[in-house]
Amino acid sequence: MSQSIESGWTRIEASTPLPVRNAKDVYKATEYIVTADLLIPGRGKPLENTGIHIFGSKIVSVGPSAALLAESPDVSTTHVKVLMPGMWDCHVHLLGVHKVSGDAFIDAYKNQVLSGARSARDVMLLLDAGFTSVREMAGWGLQLDRAIQEGSLVGPKIYSSNCIISPTGGHADLQDLPVPWMQDMCSHGAPFLTADGPDECMKAVRLQLRAGADVIKICGSGGVGSERDNPIDRQFVDAELEAIVEVATQAQRLVGAHCHGKAGIVAALHAGVKTIEHGSYLDAEAAELMKSKGAVLVATRLIVENALKLKDFLSPSGYAKIEAVAKAQWNAMQIAIKKGVTIAIGTDTGVSMPNSIATQGLNGKELYYHVKAGMSELQAIESATANGPLTLGRRAPKAGQLREGFDADFIALDANPLEDIKLLIGGKHVTHVWRQGVAYKWPGHAVNII
Ligand SMILES: [Zn+2]
């Protein structure tokens, strides 16, 4: 760093380290430049010696570092090794529970401050790990997002479905609870709802719109964690699915459906559902249908891999269900990747137990599994960045890419994730995090809970 401001930015040699101006101020500035050895734009080829110029919450330009610095000699700058968009996890749950069961949800419902406190840590862990946006597919996301937006908490932008809507006896009707208990919890704000018949389905969607949901989440098939239904079986009939999609579409919301079995996937796609969550039994025919409908797959492999490690804690029938789904889903992911289905990264992470394998913050493992299933590292990063907003339909922000006019949500790394995708697991290699142009993490400054 031998140059001073006066020494002329235009004369910098390629081999000369780029100057850093007012580096101490850059993390507080509203206008600044971040230059990088390597910039991964989210969509498109990586670029060497490239930087971004930020003003407020937006990226105002992207270009060769030397040119950016020359154009704006008075702007504070910093330099990083690798720059990429902040990541999106398009399927999380922020529930503040230590396990996924009816009892755990009752505990969370009875002790809402406890759930909130656990969730506060979860959103901090997500931001620390480089996730600047999450799509929350049932949970306390709307309330947590409000706390984050007002500055009471530090975390990613949360786009939430509020409830998950299930038919009676379906995947999200907590089957081990008496019906009145379930209904009482739901009528007091627990993020589950049952609906049967087109009229109730329409009302259920409208209740989510009333709450401010960004996306609508439904059960298109049975589930793994729900003991009394089968992941292969469809849930909701066509008329119900169509009613849900019609009401959601009127309000410019996209519908995402939890679907394992093929019948549920196909029915959801024909009804106009645009994201298939899990997609475990997707085959070549269903993959083609997804492409023709412009739908996005959110495979959530991480929760399946984690569940496979729980043999000692599950009933033999519960574990058999997981094994079958895991095998089918691994095949489905490979088919989807080969066929070129649009994929967004989502993990289904939803447990708040500190230090467990299922905690928030390890969401980057999903990229690793997608690379293992056949994606290039660059494709996995695109799925975790540029493709994230595609899961929100018309409510999508201009985000997920390092491009002019896009949201200034970006992270820096101390090594190249295109050489080792595992660098994106946890926050260890994430040296910097900016969201909406605001710096939350940089060397010597950890992401703090407030
Ligand atoms: Zn889920």
Side-chain angles (χ1 to χ4, degrees), residues 95-96 107-120 140 144:
L95 288 155
D107 188 47
Y109 166 64
K110 281 192 305 191
N111 302 292
Q112 294 182 11
V113 173
L114 177 67
S115 310
R118 289 171 177 167
S119 300
W140 309 117
L144 290 163

Side-chain angles (χ1 to χ4, degrees), residues 91 93 137 217 278 348:
H91 189 133
H93 300 281
M137 297 303 269
K217 165 82 179 291
H278 317 304
D348 215 356

Side-chain angles (χ1 to χ4, degrees), residues 23-87:
K24 269 192 296 185
D25 300 333
V26 81
Y27 303 117
K28 305 284 174 206
T30 53
E31 183 176 11
Y32 53 91
I33 291 168
V34 184
T35 57
D37 293 344
L38 184 72
L39 181 146
I40 302 169
R43 183 159 293 141
K45 282 189 188 145
L47 304 159
E48 288 183 0
N49 301 315
T50 301
I52 55 178
H53 186 157
I54 308 300
F55 187 80
S57 63
K58 298 285 174 197
I59 299 169
V60 290
S61 61
V62 181
S65 299
L68 280 186
L69 295 170
E71 279 161 18
S72 305
D74 301 325
V75 173
S76 298
T77 78
T78 192
H79 183 80
V80 300
K81 279 197 176 159
V82 177
L83 201 57
M84 61 176 266
M87 291 185 283

Side-chain angles (χ1 to χ4, degrees), residues 162-178:
N162 194 40
C163 288
I164 174 169
I165 305 169
S166 164
T168 295
H171 169 58
D173 181 1
L174 306 175
Q175 298 156 2
D176 53 345
L177 299 182

